[in-house]
PDB file of all heavy atoms in Angstrom:
ATOM      1  N   ARG A  50      -3.675  18.623  -4.195  1.00 96.00           N
ATOM      2  CA  ARG A  50      -2.608  17.631  -3.494  1.00 96.00           C
ATOM      3  C   ARG A  50      -1.571  18.445  -2.785  1.00 96.00           C
ATOM      4  O   ARG A  50      -0.977  17.947  -1.880  1.00 96.00           O
ATOM      5  CB  ARG A  50      -2.003  16.864  -4.648  1.00 96.00           C
ATOM      6  CG  ARG A  50      -3.081  15.795  -5.259  1.00 96.00           C
ATOM      7  CD  ARG A  50      -2.519  15.253  -6.577  1.00 96.00           C
ATOM      8  NE  ARG A  50      -1.329  14.330  -6.335  1.00 96.00           N
ATOM      9  CZ  ARG A  50      -1.366  13.211  -5.855  1.00 96.00           C
ATOM     10  NH1 ARG A  50      -2.410  12.610  -5.565  1.00 96.00           N
ATOM     11  NH2 ARG A  50      -0.087  12.527  -5.572  1.00 96.00           N
ATOM     12  N   ARG A  88       2.029  16.668  10.895  1.00 89.00           N
ATOM     13  CA  ARG A  88       0.930  15.819  11.135  1.00 89.00           C
ATOM     14  C   ARG A  88      -0.280  16.506  11.639  1.00 89.00           C
ATOM     15  O   ARG A  88      -1.495  16.192  11.316  1.00 89.00           O
ATOM     16  CB  ARG A  88       1.396  14.857  12.114  1.00 89.00           C
ATOM     17  CG  ARG A  88       2.419  13.712  11.644  1.00 89.00           C
ATOM     18  CD  ARG A  88       2.657  12.664  12.735  1.00 89.00           C
ATOM     19  NE  ARG A  88       1.721  11.658  12.571  1.00 89.00           N
ATOM     20  CZ  ARG A  88       1.841  10.545  13.108  1.00 89.00           C
ATOM     21  NH1 ARG A  88       2.867  10.179  13.834  1.00 89.00           N
ATOM     22  NH2 ARG A  88       0.878   9.586  12.962  1.00 89.00           N
ATOM     23  N   ARG A  91      -1.839  18.158   8.904  1.00 93.00           N
ATOM     24  CA  ARG A  91      -2.577  17.164   7.977  1.00 93.00           C
ATOM     25  C   ARG A  91      -3.912  16.936   8.635  1.00 93.00           C
ATOM     26  O   ARG A  91      -4.843  16.635   7.967  1.00 93.00           O
ATOM     27  CB  ARG A  91      -1.818  15.937   7.975  1.00 93.00           C
ATOM     28  CG  ARG A  91      -0.755  15.971   6.882  1.00 93.00           C
ATOM     29  CD  ARG A  91      -0.583  14.539   6.361  1.00 93.00           C
ATOM     30  NE  ARG A  91       0.370  14.525   5.135  1.00 93.00           N
ATOM     31  CZ  ARG A  91       1.619  14.353   5.136  1.00 93.00           C
ATOM     32  NH1 ARG A  91       2.214  14.010   6.377  1.00 93.00           N
ATOM     33  NH2 ARG A  91       2.348  14.424   4.031  1.00 93.00           N
ATOM     34  N   ASN A 102     -10.048   4.915  -3.053  1.00 97.00           N
ATOM     35  CA  ASN A 102      -8.937   4.416  -2.326  1.00 97.00           C
ATOM     36  C   ASN A 102      -9.401   3.954  -0.880  1.00 97.00           C
ATOM     37  O   ASN A 102      -8.673   4.237  -0.068  1.00 97.00           O
ATOM     38  CB  ASN A 102      -7.863   5.591  -2.161  1.00 97.00           C
ATOM     39  CG  ASN A 102      -7.227   6.024  -3.507  1.00 97.00           C
ATOM     40  OD1 ASN A 102      -7.291   5.192  -4.380  1.00 97.00           O
ATOM     41  ND2 ASN A 102      -6.653   7.074  -3.615  1.00 97.00           N
ATOM     42  N   LEU A 103     -10.468   3.281  -0.747  1.00 98.00           N
ATOM     43  CA  LEU A 103     -10.849   2.558   0.384  1.00 98.00           C
ATOM     44  C   LEU A 103      -9.947   1.364   0.574  1.00 98.00           C
ATOM     45  O   LEU A 103      -9.229   0.917  -0.205  1.00 98.00           O
ATOM     46  CB  LEU A 103     -12.252   2.000   0.228  1.00 98.00           C
ATOM     47  CG  LEU A 103     -13.277   3.119   0.231  1.00 98.00           C
ATOM     48  CD1 LEU A 103     -14.718   2.403   0.048  1.00 98.00           C
ATOM     49  CD2 LEU A 103     -13.447   4.005   1.468  1.00 98.00           C
ATOM     50  N   PHE A 104      -9.797   1.101   1.900  1.00 98.00           N
ATOM     51  CA  PHE A 104      -8.946  -0.142   2.265  1.00 98.00           C
ATOM     52  C   PHE A 104      -9.675  -1.319   2.033  1.00 98.00           C
ATOM     53  O   PHE A 104     -10.633  -1.674   2.735  1.00 98.00           O
ATOM     54  CB  PHE A 104      -8.488   0.013   3.720  1.00 98.00           C
ATOM     55  CG  PHE A 104      -7.712   1.234   3.933  1.00 98.00           C
ATOM     56  CD1 PHE A 104      -7.941   1.897   5.128  1.00 98.00           C
ATOM     57  CD2 PHE A 104      -6.822   1.741   3.005  1.00 98.00           C
ATOM     58  CE1 PHE A 104      -7.328   3.210   5.364  1.00 98.00           C
ATOM     59  CE2 PHE A 104      -5.988   2.927   3.253  1.00 98.00           C
ATOM     60  CZ  PHE A 104      -6.320   3.722   4.386  1.00 98.00           C
ATOM     61  N   PRO A 105      -9.442  -2.284   0.978  1.00 97.00           N
ATOM     62  CA  PRO A 105     -10.195  -3.336   0.546  1.00 97.00           C
ATOM     63  C   PRO A 105     -10.170  -4.464   1.614  1.00 97.00           C
ATOM     64  O   PRO A 105     -11.263  -5.241   1.621  1.00 97.00           O
ATOM     65  CB  PRO A 105      -9.591  -3.910  -0.713  1.00 97.00           C
ATOM     66  CG  PRO A 105      -8.223  -3.397  -0.494  1.00 97.00           C
ATOM     67  CD  PRO A 105      -8.081  -1.980   0.117  1.00 97.00           C
ATOM     68  N   HIS A 106      -9.313  -4.560   2.517  1.00 97.00           N
ATOM     69  CA  HIS A 106      -9.285  -5.587   3.555  1.00 97.00           C
ATOM     70  C   HIS A 106      -9.846  -5.226   4.810  1.00 97.00           C
ATOM     71  O   HIS A 106      -9.999  -6.051   5.724  1.00 97.00           O
ATOM     72  CB  HIS A 106      -7.740  -6.063   3.682  1.00 97.00           C
ATOM     73  CG  HIS A 106      -7.048  -4.978   4.150  1.00 97.00           C
ATOM     74  ND1 HIS A 106      -6.840  -3.784   3.682  1.00 97.00           N
ATOM     75  CD2 HIS A 106      -6.141  -4.825   5.497  1.00 97.00           C
ATOM     76  CE1 HIS A 106      -5.973  -2.990   4.348  1.00 97.00           C
ATOM     77  NE2 HIS A 106      -5.505  -3.566   5.478  1.00 97.00           N
ATOM     78  N   TYR A 107     -10.310  -3.948   4.843  1.00 97.00           N
ATOM     79  CA  TYR A 107     -11.213  -3.595   6.084  1.00 97.00           C
ATOM     80  C   TYR A 107     -12.711  -3.534   5.670  1.00 97.00           C
ATOM     81  O   TYR A 107     -13.010  -3.067   4.624  1.00 97.00           O
ATOM     82  CB  TYR A 107     -10.708  -2.271   6.457  1.00 97.00           C
ATOM     83  CG  TYR A 107      -9.460  -2.195   7.245  1.00 97.00           C
ATOM     84  CD1 TYR A 107      -8.856  -1.033   7.554  1.00 97.00           C
ATOM     85  CD2 TYR A 107      -8.700  -3.395   7.712  1.00 97.00           C
ATOM     86  CE1 TYR A 107      -7.552  -0.959   8.315  1.00 97.00           C
ATOM     87  CE2 TYR A 107      -7.537  -3.317   8.241  1.00 97.00           C
ATOM     88  CZ  TYR A 107      -6.927  -2.115   8.563  1.00 97.00           C
ATOM     89  OH  TYR A 107      -5.785  -2.096   9.353  1.00 97.00           O
ATOM     90  N   ASP A 115     -10.491   2.900  11.820  1.00 97.00           N
ATOM     91  CA  ASP A 115      -9.058   2.619  12.008  1.00 97.00           C
ATOM     92  C   ASP A 115      -8.144   3.780  12.279  1.00 97.00           C
ATOM     93  O   ASP A 115      -7.386   3.753  13.338  1.00 97.00           O
ATOM     94  CB  ASP A 115      -8.581   1.740  10.820  1.00 97.00           C
ATOM     95  CG  ASP A 115      -7.258   1.120  11.311  1.00 97.00           C
ATOM     96  OD1 ASP A 115      -7.339   0.272  12.178  1.00 97.00           O
ATOM     97  OD2 ASP A 115      -6.133   1.260  10.603  1.00 97.00           O
ATOM     98  N   ALA A 116      -8.263   4.691  11.493  1.00 97.00           N
ATOM     99  CA  ALA A 116      -7.408   5.899  11.519  1.00 97.00           C
ATOM    100  C   ALA A 116      -7.880   6.853  12.912  1.00 97.00           C
ATOM    101  O   ALA A 116      -6.967   7.242  13.669  1.00 97.00           O
ATOM    102  CB  ALA A 116      -7.450   6.841  10.461  1.00 97.00           C
ATOM    103  N   GLU A 119      -6.227   4.532  15.618  1.00 97.00           N
ATOM    104  CA  GLU A 119      -4.746   4.330  15.567  1.00 97.00           C
ATOM    105  C   GLU A 119      -4.019   5.567  15.440  1.00 97.00           C
ATOM    106  O   GLU A 119      -2.937   5.812  15.916  1.00 97.00           O
ATOM    107  CB  GLU A 119      -4.506   3.451  14.319  1.00 97.00           C
ATOM    108  CG  GLU A 119      -4.908   2.076  14.436  1.00 97.00           C
ATOM    109  CD  GLU A 119      -4.480   1.110  15.611  1.00 97.00           C
ATOM    110  OE1 GLU A 119      -3.291   1.384  16.074  1.00 97.00           O
ATOM    111  OE2 GLU A 119      -5.227   0.426  16.158  1.00 97.00           O
ATOM    112  N   VAL A 120      -4.590   6.502  14.748  1.00 96.00           N
ATOM    113  CA  VAL A 120      -3.934   7.843  14.515  1.00 96.00           C
ATOM    114  C   VAL A 120      -4.163   8.891  15.556  1.00 96.00           C
ATOM    115  O   VAL A 120      -3.319   9.581  16.165  1.00 96.00           O
ATOM    116  CB  VAL A 120      -4.085   8.427  13.117  1.00 96.00           C
ATOM    117  CG1 VAL A 120      -3.329   9.674  12.901  1.00 96.00           C
ATOM    118  CG2 VAL A 120      -3.611   7.407  12.088  1.00 96.00           C
ATOM    119  N   TYR A 148     -17.753  -5.331   2.920  1.00 97.00           N
ATOM    120  CA  TYR A 148     -16.432  -5.019   2.377  1.00 97.00           C
ATOM    121  C   TYR A 148     -16.615  -4.119   1.157  1.00 97.00           C
ATOM    122  O   TYR A 148     -17.455  -4.280   0.416  1.00 97.00           O
ATOM    123  CB  TYR A 148     -15.668  -6.264   2.223  1.00 97.00           C
ATOM    124  CG  TYR A 148     -15.013  -6.850   3.506  1.00 97.00           C
ATOM    125  CD1 TYR A 148     -15.947  -7.659   4.202  1.00 97.00           C
ATOM    126  CD2 TYR A 148     -13.908  -6.368   4.038  1.00 97.00           C
ATOM    127  CE1 TYR A 148     -15.578  -8.125   5.428  1.00 97.00           C
ATOM    128  CE2 TYR A 148     -13.515  -6.817   5.314  1.00 97.00           C
ATOM    129  CZ  TYR A 148     -14.296  -7.728   5.980  1.00 97.00           C
ATOM    130  OH  TYR A 148     -13.849  -8.131   7.306  1.00 97.00           O
ATOM    131  N   TYR A 150     -15.566  -4.194  -1.806  1.00 97.00           N
ATOM    132  CA  TYR A 150     -15.799  -4.825  -3.156  1.00 97.00           C
ATOM    133  C   TYR A 150     -17.388  -5.207  -3.257  1.00 97.00           C
ATOM    134  O   TYR A 150     -17.848  -5.300  -4.375  1.00 97.00           O
ATOM    135  CB  TYR A 150     -15.017  -6.065  -3.359  1.00 97.00           C
ATOM    136  CG  TYR A 150     -15.440  -7.291  -2.617  1.00 97.00           C
ATOM    137  CD1 TYR A 150     -16.309  -8.218  -3.422  1.00 97.00           C
ATOM    138  CD2 TYR A 150     -15.090  -7.604  -1.348  1.00 97.00           C
ATOM    139  CE1 TYR A 150     -16.683  -9.342  -2.676  1.00 97.00           C
ATOM    140  CE2 TYR A 150     -15.451  -8.760  -0.688  1.00 97.00           C
ATOM    141  CZ  TYR A 150     -16.315  -9.663  -1.444  1.00 97.00           C
ATOM    142  OH  TYR A 150     -16.719 -10.862  -0.804  1.00 97.00           O
ATOM    143  N   MET A 168     -12.276  11.791  10.711  1.00 97.00           N
ATOM    144  CA  MET A 168     -11.214  12.323  11.247  1.00 97.00           C
ATOM    145  C   MET A 168     -11.450  13.781  11.757  1.00 97.00           C
ATOM    146  O   MET A 168     -10.623  14.481  12.287  1.00 97.00           O
ATOM    147  CB  MET A 168     -10.077  12.412  10.314  1.00 97.00           C
ATOM    148  CG  MET A 168      -9.689  11.127   9.717  1.00 97.00           C
ATOM    149  SD  MET A 168      -8.869  10.033  10.995  1.00 97.00           S
ATOM    150  CE  MET A 168      -7.260  10.826  11.149  1.00 97.00           C
TER     151      MET A 168
ATOM    152  N   GLY B 121      -2.568   4.866  -4.674  1.00 97.00           N
ATOM    153  CA  GLY B 121      -3.705   5.474  -3.965  1.00 97.00           C
ATOM    154  C   GLY B 121      -3.941   4.948  -2.465  1.00 97.00           C
ATOM    155  O   GLY B 121      -4.396   5.677  -1.705  1.00 97.00           O
ATOM    156  N   GLN B 122      -3.467   3.747  -2.274  1.00 98.00           N
ATOM    157  CA  GLN B 122      -3.472   3.241  -0.858  1.00 98.00           C
ATOM    158  C   GLN B 122      -2.570   3.973   0.027  1.00 98.00           C
ATOM    159  O   GLN B 122      -2.930   4.252   1.191  1.00 98.00           O
ATOM    160  CB  GLN B 122      -3.257   1.703  -0.875  1.00 98.00           C
ATOM    161  CG  GLN B 122      -4.200   0.946  -1.586  1.00 98.00           C
ATOM    162  CD  GLN B 122      -5.493   0.783  -0.710  1.00 98.00           C
ATOM    163  OE1 GLN B 122      -5.552   0.406   0.467  1.00 98.00           O
ATOM    164  NE2 GLN B 122      -6.712   1.187  -1.330  1.00 98.00           N
ATOM    165  N   GLU B 124      -1.558   7.053  -0.419  1.00 97.00           N
ATOM    166  CA  GLU B 124      -1.914   8.416  -0.441  1.00 97.00           C
ATOM    167  C   GLU B 124      -3.089   8.545   0.636  1.00 97.00           C
ATOM    168  O   GLU B 124      -3.097   9.495   1.338  1.00 97.00           O
ATOM    169  CB  GLU B 124      -2.425   8.841  -1.807  1.00 97.00           C
ATOM    170  CG  GLU B 124      -1.241   9.094  -2.822  1.00 97.00           C
ATOM    171  CD  GLU B 124      -1.634   9.661  -4.052  1.00 97.00           C
ATOM    172  OE1 GLU B 124      -2.723   9.654  -4.542  1.00 97.00           O
ATOM    173  OE2 GLU B 124      -0.680  10.070  -4.908  1.00 97.00           O
ATOM    174  N   ALA B 125      -4.116   7.459   0.458  1.00 97.00           N
ATOM    175  CA  ALA B 125      -5.182   7.601   1.492  1.00 97.00           C
ATOM    176  C   ALA B 125      -4.653   7.536   2.870  1.00 97.00           C
ATOM    177  O   ALA B 125      -5.008   8.240   3.884  1.00 97.00           O
ATOM    178  CB  ALA B 125      -6.082   6.279   1.232  1.00 97.00           C
ATOM    179  N   GLU B 127      -1.652   8.510   3.930  1.00 96.00           N
ATOM    180  CA  GLU B 127      -0.914   9.781   4.120  1.00 96.00           C
ATOM    181  C   GLU B 127      -1.867  10.838   4.580  1.00 96.00           C
ATOM    182  O   GLU B 127      -1.673  11.445   5.621  1.00 96.00           O
ATOM    183  CB  GLU B 127      -0.150  10.231   2.818  1.00 96.00           C
ATOM    184  CG  GLU B 127       1.173  11.040   3.252  1.00 96.00           C
ATOM    185  CD  GLU B 127       1.923  11.384   1.938  1.00 96.00           C
ATOM    186  OE1 GLU B 127       1.960  10.494   1.141  1.00 96.00           O
ATOM    187  OE2 GLU B 127       2.431  12.422   1.940  1.00 96.00           O
ATOM    188  N   LEU B 129      -4.784  10.541   5.817  1.00 96.00           N
ATOM    189  CA  LEU B 129      -5.436  10.120   7.164  1.00 96.00           C
ATOM    190  C   LEU B 129      -4.498  10.266   8.296  1.00 96.00           C
ATOM    191  O   LEU B 129      -4.837  10.066   9.425  1.00 96.00           O
ATOM    192  CB  LEU B 129      -6.081   8.616   7.095  1.00 96.00           C
ATOM    193  CG  LEU B 129      -7.329   8.611   6.209  1.00 96.00           C
ATOM    194  CD1 LEU B 129      -7.591   7.085   5.894  1.00 96.00           C
ATOM    195  CD2 LEU B 129      -8.439   9.304   6.786  1.00 96.00           C
ATOM    196  N   GLY B 130      -3.116  10.552   7.962  1.00 94.00           N
ATOM    197  CA  GLY B 130      -2.137  10.742   8.988  1.00 94.00           C
ATOM    198  C   GLY B 130      -1.478   9.488   9.564  1.00 94.00           C
ATOM    199  O   GLY B 130      -0.789   9.545  10.622  1.00 94.00           O
ATOM    200  N   TYR B 131      -1.609   8.250   8.927  1.00 96.00           N
ATOM    201  CA  TYR B 131      -0.848   7.177   9.332  1.00 96.00           C
ATOM    202  C   TYR B 131       0.633   7.358   9.321  1.00 96.00           C
ATOM    203  O   TYR B 131       1.121   7.939   8.168  1.00 96.00           O
ATOM    204  CB  TYR B 131      -1.237   5.869   8.439  1.00 96.00           C
ATOM    205  CG  TYR B 131      -2.526   5.341   8.583  1.00 96.00           C
ATOM    206  CD1 TYR B 131      -3.641   5.607   7.771  1.00 96.00           C
ATOM    207  CD2 TYR B 131      -2.767   4.354   9.670  1.00 96.00           C
ATOM    208  CE1 TYR B 131      -4.887   5.082   8.070  1.00 96.00           C
ATOM    209  CE2 TYR B 131      -3.958   3.744   9.785  1.00 96.00           C
ATOM    210  CZ  TYR B 131      -5.006   4.060   8.964  1.00 96.00           C
ATOM    211  OH  TYR B 131      -6.239   3.570   9.161  1.00 96.00           O
ATOM    212  N   GLN B 135       2.908   2.304  10.369  1.00 97.00           N
ATOM    213  CA  GLN B 135       1.447   1.989  10.373  1.00 97.00           C
ATOM    214  C   GLN B 135       0.941   1.744   8.912  1.00 97.00           C
ATOM    215  O   GLN B 135       0.172   0.658   8.676  1.00 97.00           O
ATOM    216  CB  GLN B 135       0.581   3.200  11.059  1.00 97.00           C
ATOM    217  CG  GLN B 135       0.734   3.181  12.435  1.00 97.00           C
ATOM    218  CD  GLN B 135      -0.072   4.551  13.063  1.00 97.00           C
ATOM    219  OE1 GLN B 135      -0.068   5.519  12.310  1.00 97.00           O
ATOM    220  NE2 GLN B 135      -0.753   4.370  14.135  1.00 97.00           N
ATOM    221  N   ARG B 139      -0.258  -2.137   8.616  1.00 97.00           N
ATOM    222  CA  ARG B 139      -1.868  -2.183   8.709  1.00 97.00           C
ATOM    223  C   ARG B 139      -2.512  -2.281   7.378  1.00 97.00           C
ATOM    224  O   ARG B 139      -3.507  -2.979   7.218  1.00 97.00           O
ATOM    225  CB  ARG B 139      -2.456  -0.958   9.399  1.00 97.00           C
ATOM    226  CG  ARG B 139      -1.864  -0.886  10.918  1.00 97.00           C
ATOM    227  CD  ARG B 139      -2.603   0.154  11.728  1.00 97.00           C
ATOM    228  NE  ARG B 139      -3.931  -0.186  11.932  1.00 97.00           N
ATOM    229  CZ  ARG B 139      -4.311  -1.034  12.957  1.00 97.00           C
ATOM    230  NH1 ARG B 139      -3.386  -1.509  13.782  1.00 97.00           N
ATOM    231  NH2 ARG B 139      -5.545  -1.344  13.086  1.00 97.00           N
ATOM    232  N   ILE B 140      -1.935  -1.435   6.398  1.00 97.00           N
ATOM    233  CA  ILE B 140      -2.600  -1.361   5.072  1.00 97.00           C
ATOM    234  C   ILE B 140      -1.953  -2.010   4.059  1.00 97.00           C
ATOM    235  O   ILE B 140      -2.635  -2.799   3.252  1.00 97.00           O
ATOM    236  CB  ILE B 140      -2.804   0.158   4.804  1.00 97.00           C
ATOM    237  CG1 ILE B 140      -3.417   0.942   5.814  1.00 97.00           C
ATOM    238  CG2 ILE B 140      -3.621   0.221   3.492  1.00 97.00           C
ATOM    239  CD1 ILE B 140      -4.796   0.487   6.346  1.00 97.00           C
ATOM    240  N   GLN B 144      -2.508  -6.759   2.233  1.00 97.00           N
ATOM    241  CA  GLN B 144      -2.877  -6.773   0.968  1.00 97.00           C
ATOM    242  C   GLN B 144      -1.744  -7.585   0.134  1.00 97.00           C
ATOM    243  O   GLN B 144      -2.036  -8.277  -0.805  1.00 97.00           O
ATOM    244  CB  GLN B 144      -3.117  -5.491   0.290  1.00 97.00           C
ATOM    245  CG  GLN B 144      -4.360  -4.701   1.093  1.00 97.00           C
ATOM    246  CD  GLN B 144      -4.605  -3.443   0.415  1.00 97.00           C
ATOM    247  OE1 GLN B 144      -5.012  -3.389  -0.853  1.00 97.00           O
ATOM    248  NE2 GLN B 144      -4.657  -2.476   1.151  1.00 97.00           N
ATOM    249  N   TYR B 219     -11.942 -13.219   2.088  1.00 92.00           N
ATOM    250  CA  TYR B 219     -13.073 -12.538   2.547  1.00 92.00           C
ATOM    251  C   TYR B 219     -13.177 -11.170   1.858  1.00 92.00           C
ATOM    252  O   TYR B 219     -14.043 -10.468   1.928  1.00 92.00           O
ATOM    253  CB  TYR B 219     -13.118 -12.325   3.977  1.00 92.00           C
ATOM    254  CG  TYR B 219     -12.064 -11.538   4.549  1.00 92.00           C
ATOM    255  CD1 TYR B 219     -12.195 -10.050   4.761  1.00 92.00           C
ATOM    256  CD2 TYR B 219     -10.793 -12.014   4.829  1.00 92.00           C
ATOM    257  CE1 TYR B 219     -11.197  -9.345   5.298  1.00 92.00           C
ATOM    258  CE2 TYR B 219      -9.717 -11.251   5.393  1.00 92.00           C
ATOM    259  CZ  TYR B 219     -10.000  -9.772   5.506  1.00 92.00           C
ATOM    260  OH  TYR B 219      -8.912  -9.155   5.984  1.00 92.00           O
ATOM    261  N   TYR B 220     -12.113 -10.727   1.048  1.00 92.00           N
ATOM    262  CA  TYR B 220     -12.157  -9.476   0.412  1.00 92.00           C
ATOM    263  C   TYR B 220     -11.452  -9.624  -0.986  1.00 92.00           C
ATOM    264  O   TYR B 220     -10.755 -10.526  -1.117  1.00 92.00           O
ATOM    265  CB  TYR B 220     -11.607  -8.340   1.184  1.00 92.00           C
ATOM    266  CG  TYR B 220     -10.105  -8.369   1.338  1.00 92.00           C
ATOM    267  CD1 TYR B 220      -9.187  -7.680   0.308  1.00 92.00           C
ATOM    268  CD2 TYR B 220      -9.298  -9.086   2.245  1.00 92.00           C
ATOM    269  CE1 TYR B 220      -7.835  -7.718   0.503  1.00 92.00           C
ATOM    270  CE2 TYR B 220      -7.981  -9.107   2.399  1.00 92.00           C
ATOM    271  CZ  TYR B 220      -7.191  -8.341   1.431  1.00 92.00           C
ATOM    272  OH  TYR B 220      -5.944  -8.327   1.538  1.00 92.00           O
ATOM    273  N   ARG B 221     -11.624  -8.530  -1.863  1.00 85.00           N
ATOM    274  CA  ARG B 221     -11.033  -8.765  -3.154  1.00 85.00           C
ATOM    275  C   ARG B 221     -10.255  -7.480  -3.336  1.00 85.00           C
ATOM    276  O   ARG B 221     -10.641  -6.275  -2.768  1.00 85.00           O
ATOM    277  CB  ARG B 221     -12.098  -8.724  -4.303  1.00 85.00           C
ATOM    278  CG  ARG B 221     -12.304 -10.137  -4.654  1.00 85.00           C
ATOM    279  CD  ARG B 221     -13.453 -10.159  -5.743  1.00 85.00           C
ATOM    280  NE  ARG B 221     -14.404 -11.079  -5.260  1.00 85.00           N
ATOM    281  CZ  ARG B 221     -15.733 -10.965  -5.631  1.00 85.00           C
ATOM    282  NH1 ARG B 221     -16.239  -9.982  -6.399  1.00 85.00           N
ATOM    283  NH2 ARG B 221     -16.577 -11.980  -5.313  1.00 85.00           N
TER     284      ARG B 221
END
Side-chain angles (χ1 to χ4, degrees):
Chain A
R50 293 169 61 83
R88 290 187 81 165
R91 278 215 170 92
N102 295 340
L103 293 174
F104 303 135
H106 59 306
Y107 283 171
D115 196 61
E119 298 297 327
V120 176
Y148 284 84
Y150 80 93
M168 300 296 281
Chain B
Q122 292 288 305
E124 291 183 347
E127 208 174 326
L129 289 169
Y131 286 98
Q135 282 176 323
R139 304 188 66 80
I140 308 300
Q144 298 183 56
Y219 68 93
Y220 74 92
R221 264 173 232 155

